[in-house]
Amino acid sequence: MSAPRLRATPLPGIGVQYDLVTREHRHLSVVAHRDGARTVNVYRADDPDSCAHSLRLAAAEAGALIDALMPSHHSPSLLYTTDLGLVAERIEVSATSRWNGRLLGETCMRTETGASIVAVLRRAEAIPSPAPDFRLVGGDTLIVIGTREGVDAAAAILGQE
């Protein structure tokens, strides 16, 4: 079976429309709006130029759908994965976490898991490369990079109550 062909058409002032014809000869399109929203269109089987259904998704909804369609992972917190076996993932520190109010260095994260915390997102602020004396707060979102196993172990440590 040949690879599916995806045709991109610029829509000035709107975004880009991506058209795909499936192996069952069904026409689908996705309009990627400039604001991050997406419109998914499914065309009629008997008339591939007539839209049978159109669904508009907010940017977050489109992201959730992309996560569901990706066969390589099933985590909505996954930011990135590489062929080298490294992943970047968001892990939240809950208010009930044993690490709430404690220093990052106390987690022994890199020693215990091999994963690195490369940034902390706190409210509207991003703190890159937090030092071991950085104090964690419930609600912080940590950006963790490592192997799948290392990031999973980091999530287990950070989830401890």
Side-chain angles (χ1 to χ4, degrees), residues 99 101-111 117-118 120 122 127-136 142:
W99 305 109
R102 296 183 60 189
L103 298 178
L104 177 60
E106 293 179 67
T107 66
C108 299
M109 189 65 60
R110 191 171 304 135
T111 304
I117 297 170
V118 298
V120 176
R122 181 176 287 166
I127 299 111
S129 304
D133 63 350
F134 180 84
R135 192 165 302 278
L136 297 170
L142 283 56

Side-chain angles (χ1 to χ4, degrees), residues 1-5 20-28:
M1 179 171 80
S2 63
R5 292 186 44 152
L20 171 74
V21 176
T22 71
R23 72 171 182 242
E24 296 166 342
H25 305 288
R26 294 298 307 264
H27 177 197
L28 306 171

Side-chain angles (χ1 to χ4, degrees), residues 66-105:
I66 290 166
D67 283 340
L69 292 172
M70 292 294 294
S72 62
H73 69 84
H74 301 287
S75 171
S77 60
L78 186 69
L79 295 171
Y80 190 73
T81 184
T82 70
D83 291 336
L84 299 173
L86 297 176
V87 297
E89 192 165 315
R90 297 178 238 242
I91 301 173
E92 186 173 336
V93 176
S94 74
T96 58
S97 172
R98 74 178 287 197
W99 305 109
N100 184 4
R102 296 183 60 189
L103 298 178
L104 177 60

Side-chain angles (χ1 to χ4, degrees), residues 7 17-22 24-30 41-45 47-53:
R7 187 178 75 224
Q17 178 171 323
Y18 298 94
D19 290 283
L20 171 74
V21 176
T22 71
E24 296 166 342
H25 305 288
R26 294 298 307 264
H27 177 197
L28 306 171
S29 73
V30 175
N41 302 301
V42 179
Y43 295 84
R44 292 179 29 181
D47 183 359
D49 293 325
S50 295
C51 186
H53 190 74

